Amino acid sequence: MNPRAFSTLGCPGAGPDEVVRLARTNGCSGVELRCAEGEMVHPELTSTEAGLLAAALGRAGLAAPVLASYVQVAADGPDVVERLARHISLAAGLGAGQVRVFGGGADRPAGRHERAVRHLAQAAPIAEAAGVGIALETHDVFLTGAEVARVLKDVGSPAVGAVWDAVNPWRAGESPERTADVLGPWIRHVQLKDVASPTDLRPVLPGRGVLPLGEVLAQLDTLGYEGWISLEWERAWYPDAAPLDEALPAFHRVLDGD
């Protein structure tokens, strides 16, 4: 059975006590930590604060598989690698295994693949030294598994892998079978959600929307994927969505095949 987590995107503004409660009462052994201003984890968190939070999660028996950063590796700017290095250091202090990054660079499409490859390749030795991976999500300008795989192949570092956000390749027309086929060697983390339609991304309880979650899970099983599966419940963006106390039981039912 894959270890299960949820993203703190689903409980915006929550502190450690509430996050621990959500995990303990809803059968999760890990927490994907969203790194953003106003959240429990933010880019300016000190090493002392990170250590205290890591200790609190550890006492509760919880892992932090991913630090979900908002670094855009295809952005055209001088500080991309520096920002990524800061997040790698923060992830190490939190005991997180991966730093999630986005592609970005939508405003400068020319050369964005090359920028992403260059920035990730420059950051890879930093990540290796820290014992932390970097995981590029199927998101924004690199929406499909094929696009992410092309970047990762050109980076060529074991320290750099992928987050398979299941909804994005599918809504771009890439089947779960195709995503698994092209992205399989690099998958380090999986995010599940469900939506009303490919063009209506409002969250609905897992199993009640249109995303072929069963097919995604079947493909992960075929790959022999044993890593984390996380519920990315986007309540920060959709405050009318049900609370995590309702979404997580539905998430477990999907994973259990109920």
Side-chain angles (χ1 to χ4, degrees):
M1 180 183 293
N2 297 87
R4 302 175 185 188
F6 64 88
S7 169
T8 55
L9 187 67
C11 51
D17 290 346
E18 174 63 3
V19 169
V20 167
R21 183 199 69 78
L22 283 164
R24 281 181 161 175
T25 59
N26 288 288
C28 288
S29 55
V31 181
E32 180 183 325
L33 297 169
R34 179 183 180 228
C35 186
E37 293 299 331
E39 296 298 336
M40 179 175 70
V41 176
H42 54 84
E44 303 307 318
L45 198 72
T46 68
S47 58
T48 298
E49 291 169 330
L52 290 172
L53 178 55
L57 294 176
R59 287 192 299 270
L62 298 176
V66 168
L67 177 69
S69 86
Y70 289 87
V71 175
Q72 298 183 346
V73 295
D76 188 10
D79 64 341
V80 173
V81 176
E82 179 184 341
R83 291 182 61 232
L84 185 46
R86 289 202 301 270
H87 283 82
I88 289 168
S89 178
L90 179 55
L94 290 164
Q98 305 286 330
V99 174
R100 186 280 308 279
V101 296
F102 287 149
D107 57 331
R108 292 291 300 277
R112 66 188 174 206
H113 172 90
E114 291 76 15
R115 290 193 300 272
V117 171
R118 182 174 71 253
H119 292 147
L120 287 168
Q122 289 172 348
I126 302 170
E128 284 194 84
V132 174
I134 304 169
L136 176 60
E137 184 171 326
T138 51
H139 188 87
D140 58 68
V141 300
F142 303 125
L143 206 60
T144 66
E147 290 167 315
V148 170
R150 182 169 164 255
V151 171
L152 300 181
K153 183 178 180 180
D154 287 349
V155 173
S157 170
V160 185
V163 173
W164 181 4
D165 181 334
V167 74
N168 287 325
W170 166 80
R171 70 184 177 92
E174 186 179 78
S175 70
E177 180 179 10
R178 172 64 175 163
T179 304
D181 183 52
V182 296
L183 202 59
W186 292 286
I187 296 172
R188 303 290 183 267
H189 187 69
V190 174
Q191 293 174 338
L192 293 188
K193 63 187 75 170
D194 212 342
V195 294
S197 80
T199 56
D200 183 354
L201 300 182
R202 289 175 296 172
V204 298
L205 292 180
R208 296 189 183 178
V210 296
L211 191 65
L213 295 174
E215 189 177 345
V216 172
L217 295 173
Q219 293 300 323
L220 291 172
D221 187 58
T222 298
L223 289 172
Y225 174 74
E226 297 180 345
W228 290 89
I229 299 179
S230 177
L231 174 65
E232 190 183 45
W233 189 246
E234 297 182 326
R235 203 169 188 221
W237 314 135
Y238 300 93
D240 292 336
L244 274 171
D245 282 316
E246 294 181 29
L248 282 166
F251 169 64
H252 289 305
R253 287 193 293 271
V254 167
L255 294 185
D256 293 337
D258 294 343

